Amino acid sequence: MRPASGTPEGPRPRQGRHRLPRSAHPAPPGGTSPVRRSPGSGHLASPVALGGPAPHRAPSPTVTVPDRMAAALMPPPVRRPPAPAPRPPARARQRPVPAPPVPAPPVPGKRDGKRDQPAVRADAMRVTVLIPAHNEAKQITETIASLRRQERPPDHIIVIADNCTDATAAFAQLCGVEIVGTRGNEHKKAGALNQVLDRLLPIFGPDDAIMVMDADSALDPGFIRHGVDHLATGRYAAVGGTFTGKPGGGAVGMFQRNEYARYARDVRRLQGKALVLTGTATIFRAATLQEVVAARRDRRLPGLPHVYDVRVLTEDNELTLAILHLGFRILCPKECTLTTEVMPTWRELAQQRLRWKRGALENLVDYGWTPVTRPYWGRQMLSLVGILVITAYLLSLAYSVIWLGGIQISPLWSGITVIFMVERVVTVRRRGPAQMAIAATIVVEMVFDVFLQIVQARAFWQAAWRKERKW
């Protein structure tokens, strides 16, 4: 190529609790380097903020703008007042009330054969958000603002400025978050995240959670609260979100928003059993990612001993397969929603979908035929069948027009057309009557479907002939 318990009562840990560890020596090649701050670099008119060349100097400590500056720029986080405690009966007022016990971890291997993690109190979990950003000056403030508005705000926010040439870092500094710059990263998003996670994971404990989200996404207010509630039970190793598309993009943007609405509907119908933890926004137990690294080191999983496999085109899909092969459960609950940017042009959309499709195919080849990958292989076979069906459909129409002088009504293709029309209309009900009317015409959405089928066919071809991988 988005209500359970209330907000935690009691004091929140201070922002910066999990600030990256500092070293007395220069970072080794491939490590991270904090964003350097020249005089006045916090101002948008500075050379660094405007993408100009920065003066050469040794790496300096990570820059974090004080929260009081952020408070003047960003809306305060939404916090619900704690519910009043019920008044005990007269006889019980003299007796001390014991603290609620921490729930015992579920028995591993129960029912579905999946593994559980130790349960913790949701209000005791610490959430660190990582936002990899490459030239996202137009969207980064909206992304951070959505985190500030969370019903359960994160404990720490780190923007990873990856080879930025615009004012992404400057805007993020004004929002009062920590900014870390990558050093020598040639592996795009996966490499940028690995450089930071390699330093964070060794100092994280069982109460820590790590959220990874795209710099062009905006969370709905209840995302983190509901995600932490699910993670704290120990039943799930990671919680992803379902997303809708942001405005813009003209006709191609409209098609993507309809597609995302259909995807969210499928996830709801499956009660959150999504196949992929998308990179738009996902919260992981830190222990989950630590085990992924250990499994890669022991060669139980493909890739080098990092969280993300930098060899692949779809690092989020590959990490999902890694977590599932370790026996963990994942979830995309209906309460965890967000909006994300749509591709503004047909060309950019084709590049995105080609990368997604080919990356998914190559991930499956890396993992082979396993109980985990069998459903994924099945979906790819259905996708291939879909390409063949749409090709036969279009060829039959062309044959009727060219050789028979007009479209001949066939009971078979008429039935397929009616089924297709009903499916298109029903699956966009949440988008309103206008989109349902457009879907009912079939012809309009047929253009988008044929476009996607052509891109998928190209992905199958490139994967089969092992063409050069391109991001």
Side-chain angles (χ1 to χ4, degrees), residues 6 97 116 161 215 220 260-261 273 285 299 302 327 370 375 449 453 464:
V97 180
D116 296 317
D220 292 332
Y260 293 164
K273 296 178 182 179
R285 290 278 291 255
R299 303 299 178 91
T370 69
D449 287 322
Q453 297 291 358

Side-chain angles (χ1 to χ4, degrees), residues 90-414:
R91 294 181 179 178
R93 289 175 190 168
Q94 303 299 325
R95 300 177 182 178
V97 180
V102 176
V107 179
K110 188 176 181 181
R111 291 185 300 276
D112 58 0
K114 299 292 184 179
R115 298 171 54 197
D116 296 317
Q117 293 186 347
V120 297
R121 289 179 49 170
D123 59 352
M125 294 194 74
R126 297 180 294 269
V127 180
T128 299
V129 180
L130 304 182
I131 309 174
H134 173 70
N135 291 344
E136 295 287 355
K138 294 181 179 179
Q139 315 234 28
I140 192 65
T141 55
E142 180 186 2
T143 300
I144 298 173
S146 73
L147 291 169
R148 299 289 193 196
R149 290 193 297 263
Q150 288 295 295
E151 296 169 3
R152 195 284 194 200
D155 299 281
H156 194 47
I157 304 172
I158 301 175
V159 171
I160 308 173
D162 180 33
N163 299 318
C164 292
T165 58
D166 65 357
T168 298
F171 287 145
Q173 287 178 12
L174 291 175
C175 295
V177 302
E178 184 174 359
I179 298 91
V180 176
T182 58
R183 172 178 291 181
N185 177 39
E186 299 178 353
H187 301 291
K188 298 189 179 292
K189 174 183 174 181
L193 286 167
N194 281 342
Q195 288 191 12
V196 175
L197 288 169
D198 286 349
R199 299 172 64 185
L200 282 181
L201 286 180
I203 63 174
F204 276 178
D207 293 338
D208 282 294
I210 298 175
M211 181 175 188
V212 177
M213 67 178 295
D214 285 343
D216 58 5
S217 298
L219 305 183
D220 292 332
F223 192 109
I224 293 181
R225 177 167 68 89
H226 290 290
V228 167
D229 287 343
H230 285 289
L231 287 181
T233 65
R235 181 170 175 81
Y236 300 101
V239 173
T242 54
F243 48 88
T244 56
K246 292 182 179 180
V252 65
M254 177 196 71
F255 287 133
Q256 291 172 82
R257 285 186 287 274
N258 286 350
E259 182 187 24
Y260 293 164
R262 292 185 174 103
Y263 171 76
R265 178 179 181 272
D266 291 341
V267 173
R268 289 193 301 270
R269 287 167 60 86
L270 294 172
Q271 298 181 339
K273 296 178 182 179
L275 293 175
V276 179
L277 295 167
T278 67
T280 52
T282 297
I283 310 178
F284 305 88
R285 290 278 291 255
T288 302
L289 301 184
Q290 290 167 346
E291 187 160 345
V292 168
V293 175
R296 295 197 197 280
R297 183 178 296 111
D298 298 339
R299 303 299 178 91
R300 290 181 287 130
L301 292 174
L304 297 175
H306 304 285
V307 172
Y308 289 95
D309 188 349
V310 298
R311 304 170 303 125
V312 303
L313 294 173
T314 47
E315 67 283 339
D316 305 310
N317 186 74
E318 193 280 335
L319 181 58
T320 302
L321 292 177
I323 292 173
L324 293 176
H325 276 87
L326 292 176
F328 293 122
R329 303 180 193 87
I330 62 175
L331 184 71
C332 290
K334 62 181 180 181
E335 300 89 357
C336 294
T337 55
L338 66 147
T339 57
T340 191
E341 185 185 31
V342 297
M343 294 293 104
T345 66
W346 291 100
R347 182 182 181 86
E348 291 176 279
L349 179 62
Q351 293 173 345
Q352 180 197 61
R353 298 309 169 86
L354 181 63
R355 177 172 61 86
W356 285 2
K357 188 67 175 182
R358 184 173 175 185
L361 291 170
E362 292 175 348
N363 292 158
L364 293 178
V365 171
D366 286 344
Y367 279 88
W369 182 264
T370 69
V372 171
T373 60
R374 279 199 288 266
Y376 293 84
W377 280 113
R379 291 176 68 89
Q380 298 302 331
M381 292 301 103
L382 287 176
S383 176
L384 184 58
V385 169
I387 294 174
L388 298 176
V389 169
I390 196 70
T391 302
Y393 183 77
L394 295 177
L395 289 176
S396 69
L397 290 178
Y399 175 81
S400 297
V401 172
I402 296 173
W403 296 103
L404 302 179
I407 297 177
Q408 302 294 319
I409 299 177
S410 166
L412 173 62
W413 292 117
S414 297

